[in-house]
Amino acid sequence: MSSSVQLRHVVLWGIGHTNALVVRAWRDHPIPGSRLICVADASISTYSGMLPGVLAGQYSRQAMQIDLDRLSESAGAEFVPGDLRGIDLDSRVLLFEDRERIEFDVLSIGIGSVPSRSGVVGADDDRIVSIKPMLTFLDRLAIRLIEASNAARVRAVRITIVGGGAGGAEIAFCLPAFVHRILGNVLIERTLIHEGETLVTGSVASTNIRVQRRLEQTGVTMVMGRRVTRVEPGHLILSDGQSVETDLTIWATGAAAPPILARLGLPVDERGFLLTRPTLQVVADRPIFVVGDSGTLIESPTPKAGVHAVRQGPILRENLARLLDGRPLLAYQPQKSFLRLINTGDGRAIGEYRGYTFEGRWCWSLKDWIDRRFMEQFSLNRPSR
Ligand SMILES: Cc1cc2nc3c(=O)[nH]c(=O)nc-3n(C[C@H](O)[C@H](O)[C@H](O)COP(=O)(O)OP(=O)(O)OC[C@H]3O[C@@H](n4cnc5c(N)ncnc54)[C@H](O)[C@@H]3O)c2cc1C
């Protein structure tokens, strides 16, 4: 029997922020006696922190992309593109629609989240440009922009962004540059619809106010405290019955669970995210971790944010090894306060830390430095060992 038969299978499903960091760490420190297998729905993973900057023309599209095939290869891991159908928990096997099953000794699930569409009639209309899958967002947006401008002809193109979290606000700020790159010097009208009374849920009031004021200063019409309940051709119907005319709608609502998570036979929270212990292991007694947006820490749920997904990376790497060796697992301790930086698309950013709000060019420089540093880890130009 060859030695490879005895290798333990460490399988990562969904190579977003956390799992990508495990692959990166594997390049220098593989878990002895183990084989790493990366299962993903696409060969490129997109770093959301830079997407608004790509819209604004501050980065190339490649700057926000991680080539998973090459990253896996650089780590000596196997990359498996595939459409997962389910998991046989007792046999520890991943089942696919389109390929052979994969056995695992330990599994990490990190397939992220999707924008919520619950309670919205017609939200699956394919004319809506959903922020996810992020890999195809720019292409879908460009196609819809051209269609919308043809329909608008002589008047301004009316673009509506649904969802006023940090992502939706950044898109509203950064969108004009992208529109002008695609359509030339057209007139656009931007409207942002947000069901909450304040923007950027989870932020302090001074941040909410500053983000809203800056959006209004850049010409965005704000519709607050009402939700979209129905999508109709050319219109969005709001919870108070008002109709908002739109040529193009971008769907950037808060995180909902990918439906497959609730079908795995593992405990989920009320939104369908998988419940985990502080160690990131599922609450059921299985050799499975859940990281990033896909998981909810049962004792200390955190907002669905890339910051947490990134910080979970080193803990996950260590716990994968510990679980295989039967050693006690480490707990992930989420920080209550984290630095938030919102790209306003004009070489500035609005920041918040520990209840303080600030703004300026230096905030953008800081955000740029943080995001570039994160992505540099996945640069494959440097020797790995
Ligand atoms: C525009 C925007 C800007 C944002 N900016 C920030 C920010 O500045 N700071 C911050 O903290 N948070 C930010 N967020 C939130 C942040 O994007 C998420 O919290 C973060 O992406 C979660 O990381 P993740 O690894 O769980 O998921 P993701 O980064 O979404 O990664 C999941 C991966 O799994 C893959 N996948 C999905 N489904 C499957 C499947 N069925 N099979 C296999 N693979 C699958 C996806 O292709 C993807 O590569 C932003 C969100 C948006 C929309």
Side-chain angles (χ1 to χ4, degrees):
M1 196 182 274
S2 79
S3 61
S4 66
V5 173
Q6 289 139 22
L7 289 178
R8 299 166 299 180
H9 285 190
V10 177
V11 179
L12 310 177
W13 174 35
I15 316 299
H17 294 63
T18 326
N19 282 342
L21 285 170
V22 169
V23 188
R24 175 63 188 87
W26 201 281
R27 274 160 76 179
D28 301 324
H29 304 288
I31 297 175
S34 304
R35 176 178 165 210
L36 183 64
I37 302 167
C38 304
V39 178
D41 61 348
S43 60
I44 288 172
S45 190
T46 307
Y47 177 48
S48 58
M50 279 180 159
L51 176 74
V54 174
L55 283 176
Q58 295 159 327
Y59 303 113
S60 69
R61 193 184 287 215
Q62 288 71 30
M64 65 169 181
Q65 295 183 335
I66 302 174
D67 182 331
L68 298 179
D69 212 350
R70 289 185 63 207
L71 178 68
S72 304
E73 191 186 347
S74 76
E78 185 184 348
F79 176 68
V80 178
D83 195 3
L84 204 83
R85 171 162 63 82
I87 302 176
D88 183 333
L89 296 170
D90 292 330
S91 310
R92 290 198 232 145
V93 164
L94 298 187
L95 305 164
F96 292 85
E97 298 288 356
D98 46 4
R99 55 158 293 128
E100 279 178 24
R101 51 183 50 202
I102 293 178
E103 291 176 14
F104 64 87
D105 293 286
V106 59
L107 170 69
S108 168
I109 301 175
I111 62 168
S113 59
V114 293
S116 169
R117 296 171 189 232
S118 84
V120 186
V121 178
D124 50 356
D125 189 318
D126 58 14
R127 281 166 299 195
I128 287 183
V129 184
S130 171
I131 189 75
K132 299 275 180 81
M134 214 171 270
L135 176 61
T136 57
F137 173 69
L138 295 175
D139 290 334
R140 287 180 288 116
L141 180 59
I143 291 168
R144 286 293 299 125
L145 274 171
I146 293 165
E147 290 169 359
S149 83
N150 290 339
R153 302 209 180 166
V154 289
R155 60 169 170 74
V157 181
R158 299 163 304 190
I159 303 174
T160 308
I161 298 112
V162 182
E170 284 192 311
I171 287 169
F173 278 123
C174 296
L175 190 63
F178 184 78
V179 175
H180 296 312
R181 285 203 300 283
I182 300 295
L183 298 181
N185 200 19
V186 294
L187 285 176
I188 58 170
E189 288 172 6
R190 283 165 295 156
T191 301
L192 192 152
I193 303 176
H194 182 55
E195 66 177 334
E197 295 295 342
T198 57
L199 291 173
V200 195
T201 318
S203 286
V204 296
S206 53
T207 304
N208 307 148
I209 291 165
R210 195 183 287 246
V211 172
Q212 181 166 347
R213 200 169 55 210
R214 293 277 290 114
L215 281 168
E216 286 167 345
Q217 282 166 356
T218 64
V220 179
T221 303
M222 307 297 298
V223 178
M224 307 281 290
R226 282 166 289 169
R227 65 194 313 269
V228 175
T229 56
R230 179 183 288 273
V231 176
E232 292 179 354
H235 293 86
L236 301 173
I237 310 298
L238 307 186
S239 41
D240 62 354
Q242 188 193 334
S243 167
V244 175
E245 292 188 15
T246 182
D247 297 310
L248 189 162
T249 302
I250 297 175
W251 205 261
T253 50
I260 192 170
L261 294 182
R263 298 200 301 265
L264 298 178
L266 293 164
V268 292
D269 70 7
E270 66 291 348
R271 293 194 289 165
F273 292 108
L274 292 166
L275 284 169
T276 69
R277 304 168 187 172
T279 56
L280 307 174
Q281 188 180 4
V282 290
V283 292
D285 202 15
R286 305 280 182 184
I288 299 176
F289 295 97
V290 190
V291 290
D293 284 3
S294 295
T296 295
L297 293 160
I298 193 164
E299 287 169 22
S300 52
T302 55
K304 304 295 179 191
V307 169
H308 291 297
V310 169
R311 290 200 180 140
Q312 288 172 359
I315 302 290
L316 173 66
R317 162 63 184 77
E318 179 63 23
N319 280 350
L320 289 167
R322 285 176 177 244
L323 191 132
L324 286 171
D325 296 346
R327 289 181 285 141
L329 304 183
L330 301 180
Y332 169 66
Q333 274 150 357
Q335 280 181 251
K336 288 203 175 65
S337 183
F338 58 86
L339 177 66
R340 219 181 254 272
L341 290 164
I342 295 170
N343 184 354
T344 52
D346 56 353
R348 299 161 66 86
I350 297 171
E352 179 190 303
Y353 189 61
R354 298 196 170 192
Y356 292 99
T357 304
F358 31 85
E359 181 179 359
R361 292 196 176 278
W362 68 270
C363 293
W364 161 249
S365 301
L366 180 60
K367 177 168 173 51
D368 177 49
W369 180 77
I370 291 170
D371 288 339
R372 283 183 195 271
R373 202 176 55 147
F374 179 76
M375 288 303 285
E376 269 168 22
Q377 299 175 87
F378 304 105
S379 158
L380 300 172
N381 299 327
R382 289 168 294 143
S384 62
R385 293 185 199 185

